[in-house]
């Protein structure tokens, strides 16, 4: 893979956003690094909190001309004029989301570690498929999306693929030739300096 074909960064918000300082942190990251897309991925189901966060993040994203998608909430994506939706239930909701949001919206699907789900999501009209977690995890049953899955996908399927969950420099180094995007979120937001944390991850793509 040449430098021109290096994976792009798909930025995922933290599950809880402090609106007093997150927009500033986000803007610093967008100033420092080229970001392909941002995903608003909040743990809350409080509609008012989601609306306020979406408004704030959208303002920053669009200032930098970066697309913004939201986890799961097709109706809110439509209502808020966001660029699309990231579905967390594999292929199940892709057709519905595409029908509701139209042909120009971004529709992505998280498919855990299932190539079958990924293929079905692609056939249903997903613009990209996401697999993960790629790093060690104690969440769920501890299953990981292994490099072999990305290797197979990169050879067999043309739909762009995102690697996410538990990324570190070693994993990024190994997956750089095999993925189109790295979904990076809490790996940097946990840090006191998200810009530096992101730089240490992206530098692994070139060495």
């Amino acid at each position: 893979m040449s430098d021109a074909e290096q994976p792009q960064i798909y930025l995922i918000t933290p599950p809880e956003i402090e609106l007093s300082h997150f927009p500033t942190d986000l803007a610093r990251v967008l100033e420092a690094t080229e970001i392909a897309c941002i995903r608003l991925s909040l743990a809350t189901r409080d509609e008012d909190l989601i609306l306020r966060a979406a408004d704030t993040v959208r303002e920053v994203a669009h200032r930098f001309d970066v697309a913004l998608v939201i986890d799961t909430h097709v109706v809110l994506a439509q209502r808020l004029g966001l660029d699309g939706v990231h579905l967390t239930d594999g292929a199940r909701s892709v057709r519905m989301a595409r029908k509701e949001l139209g042909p120009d919206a971004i529709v992505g699907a998280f498919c855990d570690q299932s190539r079958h789900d990924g293929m079905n999501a692609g056939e249903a009209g997903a613009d990209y498929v996401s697999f993960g977690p790629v790093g060690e995890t104690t969440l769920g049953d501890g299953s990981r999306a292994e490099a072999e899955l990305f290797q197979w996908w990169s050879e067999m399927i043309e739909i762009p693929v995102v690697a996410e969950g538990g990324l570190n420099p070693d994993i990024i180094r190994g997956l750089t030739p095999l993925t189109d995007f790295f979904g990076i979120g809490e790996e940097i937001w946990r840090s006191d300096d998200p810009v530096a944390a992101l730089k240490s991850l992206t530098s692994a793509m070139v060495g």
Side-chain angles (χ1 to χ4, degrees):
M1 177 177 281
S2 71
D3 286 351
E5 294 170 316
Q6 269 190 2
Q8 298 180 74
I9 303 303
Y10 175 98
L11 196 64
I12 304 165
T13 67
E16 292 181 18
I17 286 177
E18 184 54 65
L19 291 179
S20 61
H21 66 77
F22 182 72
T24 305
D25 292 343
L26 178 60
R28 286 181 60 232
V29 169
L30 296 182
E31 278 169 358
T33 311
E34 191 170 328
I35 302 296
C37 183
I38 300 168
R39 178 164 103 222
L40 186 63
S41 182
L42 301 179
T44 183
R45 290 292 171 262
D46 182 318
E47 186 177 338
D48 184 54
L49 280 177
I50 295 171
L51 289 171
R52 284 190 290 135
D55 275 342
T56 305
V57 173
R58 180 185 57 199
E59 190 178 310
V60 179
H62 287 183
R63 195 162 82 227
F64 287 88
D65 201 25
V66 177
L68 175 63
V69 301
I70 189 171
D71 263 1
T72 308
H73 304 296
V74 174
V75 172
L76 286 184
Q78 216 168 13
R79 186 167 137 200
L80 293 166
L82 305 184
D83 297 289
V85 69
H86 174 84
L87 304 168
T88 55
D89 59 354
R92 284 186 282 281
S93 306
V94 172
R95 286 188 202 284
M96 175 277 294
R98 176 62 69 204
K99 184 179 175 189
E100 289 297 318
L101 298 176
D104 296 330
I106 299 168
V107 176
F110 178 69
C111 297
D112 292 295
Q113 301 92 36
S114 171
R115 72 167 68 169
H116 180 72
D117 266 6
M119 291 167 67
N120 285 345
E123 286 168 8
D127 293 298
Y128 69 83
V129 163
S130 171
F131 293 120
V134 292
E136 295 288 348
T137 180
T138 54
L139 299 178
D141 61 4
S143 295
R144 293 173 57 179
E146 303 289 349
E148 288 77 10
L149 171 58
F150 292 93
Q151 174 85 46
W152 178 87
W153 191 272
S154 69
E155 291 171 357
M156 305 297 293
I157 309 291
E158 290 191 5
I159 296 160
V161 63
V162 181
E164 67 173 87
L167 288 163
N168 62 40
D170 286 341
I171 292 170
I172 284 178
R173 206 169 285 115
L175 289 179
T176 287
L178 307 177
T179 192
D180 299 290
F181 298 90
F182 283 113
I184 296 175
E186 287 193 85
E187 294 93 341
I188 69 166
W189 302 123
R190 284 193 299 259
S191 166
D192 290 336
D193 188 345
V195 172
L198 182 55
K199 189 171 177 54
S200 78
L201 291 174
T202 56
S203 62
M205 289 196 279
V206 292

